[in-house]
Amino acid sequence: MSIESNPPRYQALDALRGLTIALMILVNTPGSWAYIYAPFQHADWHGCTPTDLVFPFFLCVVGAAMYFSFRPSGFSWSWPLGVKILRRFAIIFSLGIFLNAFPFNEPVAQWRIPGVLQRIALAYLLAAAVVLSFRRFGIIVISLVVLLGYWLVLWLYGGDQAYGLETNLVRQIDLLVLGENHLWLGKAIPFDPEGLLSTFPAVVNVLIGFEIARLITRQHSKTRALITIGVGGVTAILLGLLWNLVMPINKSLWTSSFVIYSGGYFALTLALFIWLIDLRGYRALAQPLIIYGTNPLFIYVLSILWVKIYYFIPWGEGGNFYEGLFSMLNQWISPLNASLVFAIIHVILFWFVSVILFKRHIFIKV
């Protein structure tokens, strides 16, 4: 029997998916955006914090899941598979628009179109087209072309200002195609960190996850798999830092250096999980995280809606439940710690939701 038909099982991948969802909730749900410890903040522009790695980690996890999902089909197109991919894309993208618009107190003309789920949907769709149309060599070539091409077009358009907030090509394309009313305004001007052009290099994060899953399942031993992806992760981090000298590591622009850098950290983290869980056998670490990752998109969407509803629950005079809960915690501990505890409470809350669904064998797939 071939290795491909009977690959070793890695609980590390399932556990890492759960950790990624937990971290997404942790960094998205502070008690106050004015009080956040530095590691839980995004880099203001150039640079990379631990929080900046969470989203590319999730895209890598999507790629790894894609490998196992498409393997029964022999990584070949079929009508049912194509319909399934398009359906999944449409549902995830629509959920993203829904979350942006909720509670629908703004006109459609001002709804933000890009977003986290929209990027996941687009990256999934494009990556699926690549892995079902090309073999491993073709996937690697396409990934390199995308990363180098993205670097080239940004430089050709912007020159010395290629990576500026107001002057980058990503923003200009979004303004032209979507219009400023449909973009994020978090940096005081219309600029979206999930822009159209910057989604293309994000596809490579999905392909990285796909190829890592292929690599580890084809290894004869888990020890060898650990060493291979560990060395690959260190190499990718160093390449990302080297590339950073000419193309800054920047999550908002999702620069090519950021793709390689974040992919390297994903590989290293997975290697650590393989060592702890699959080789050393720390199942007590794995099981809670595996449970957290059994309904990832549902839990993520629920966490966003749940917190948004807080703003409609009155608390005190003119306040709401979100502000009230944070203020209550702040009476006992410092603002920074109150904000962190607020987030941790929600991580635990949605873990319990995951446990309830898991025990009832409810797995919500899209």
Side-chain angles (χ1 to χ4, degrees):
M1 183 174 292
S2 68
I3 296 172
E4 181 68 18
S5 61
N6 188 26
R9 178 175 177 80
Y10 286 87
Q11 288 191 322
L13 273 170
D14 298 325
L16 186 51
R17 178 172 61 239
L19 175 65
T20 303
I21 289 297
L23 289 174
M24 289 179 79
I25 295 172
L26 182 71
V27 301
N28 284 340
T29 322
S32 170
W33 291 101
Y35 299 102
I36 307 175
Y37 281 106
F40 302 113
Q41 297 184 35
H42 290 291
D44 184 55
W45 192 240
H46 297 328
C48 184
T49 71
T51 294
D52 290 323
L53 297 175
V54 176
F55 193 5
F57 270 37
F58 188 82
L59 291 177
C60 290
V61 167
V62 168
M66 184 184 293
Y67 176 82
F68 294 104
S69 176
F70 292 169
R71 187 174 57 190
S73 70
F75 307 106
S76 300
W77 283 105
S78 66
W79 178 255
L81 181 57
V83 171
K84 179 182 177 182
I85 291 169
L86 287 173
R87 174 181 172 275
R88 192 162 195 252
F89 158 76
I91 291 174
I92 296 174
F93 194 93
S94 298
L95 283 172
I97 298 294
F98 172 81
L99 288 179
N100 282 353
F102 185 83
F104 311 105
N105 53 8
E106 293 183 343
V108 176
Q110 294 182 1
W111 286 6
R112 180 190 175 200
I113 295 177
V116 169
L117 287 179
Q118 295 90 313
R119 170 157 289 180
I120 292 172
L122 286 167
Y124 167 79
L125 178 67
L126 295 173
V130 172
V131 302
L132 293 177
S133 302
F134 299 91
R135 299 304 177 189
R136 185 181 183 187
F137 179 75
I139 293 171
I140 294 173
V141 169
I142 288 172
S143 298
L144 291 174
V145 168
V146 169
L147 295 181
L148 293 173
Y150 184 60
W151 180 25
L152 179 63
V153 297
L154 288 185
W155 177 75
L156 287 176
Y157 176 83
D160 293 338
Q161 301 298 319
Y163 312 111
L165 172 60
E166 298 186 36
T167 55
N168 66 83
L169 182 59
V170 175
R171 177 173 182 260
Q172 303 308 317
I173 289 178
D174 287 341
L175 288 172
L176 180 65
V177 177
L178 302 176
E180 64 179 41
N181 289 339
H182 294 296
L183 302 180
W184 189 60
L185 297 174
K187 291 188 178 295
I189 65 170
F191 169 80
D192 212 293
E194 280 80 47
L196 294 173
L197 182 61
S198 57
T199 294
F200 286 97
V203 173
V204 179
N205 284 99
V206 181
L207 298 177
I208 288 172
F210 181 90
E211 287 302 326
I212 287 177
R214 189 207 302 266
L215 185 152
I216 64 176
T217 55
R218 289 187 171 185
Q219 295 292 336
H220 290 276
S221 74
K222 293 181 178 181
T223 300
R224 183 168 180 176
L226 183 153
I227 294 172
T228 302
I229 63 172
V231 171
V234 172
T235 303
I237 291 170
L238 294 176
L239 286 175
L241 291 172
L242 184 63
W243 204 340
N244 175 64
L245 298 176
V246 290
M247 186 185 200
I249 292 173
N250 185 307
K251 177 189 175 292
S252 295
L253 293 174
W254 214 278
T255 53
S256 303
S257 54
F258 175 70
V259 172
I260 299 299
Y261 185 74
S262 60
Y265 269 107
F266 175 79
L268 271 186
T269 306
L270 179 58
L272 175 63
F273 270 50
I274 291 174
W275 179 71
L276 287 172
I277 298 169
D278 293 292
L279 294 178
R280 296 298 301 272
Y282 290 110
R283 309 299 181 194
L285 169 65
Q287 192 59 23
L289 295 176
I290 290 173
I291 291 173
Y292 219 140
T294 49
N295 284 287
L297 285 173
F298 173 77
I299 291 297
Y300 176 74
V301 171
L302 179 63
S303 70
I304 300 295
L305 281 177
W306 188 286
V307 171
K308 282 195 170 189
I309 290 172
Y310 283 171
Y311 290 98
F312 299 95
I313 302 175
W315 181 301
E317 294 185 9
N320 58 62
F321 188 81
Y322 197 112
E323 297 167 344
L325 180 56
F326 171 70
S327 296
M328 183 179 67
L329 293 170
N330 194 25
Q331 291 177 2
W332 299 92
I333 50 181
S334 69
L336 279 171
N337 288 329
S339 188
L340 178 59
V341 169
F342 185 102
I344 292 173
I345 287 173
H346 287 83
V347 171
I348 296 171
L349 169 66
F350 291 108
W351 181 78
F352 277 112
V353 174
S354 300
V355 170
I356 292 170
L357 295 174
F358 180 80
K359 288 186 174 180
R360 296 186 179 184
H361 302 285
I362 299 174
F363 305 105
I364 302 170
K365 306 296 183 182
V366 296

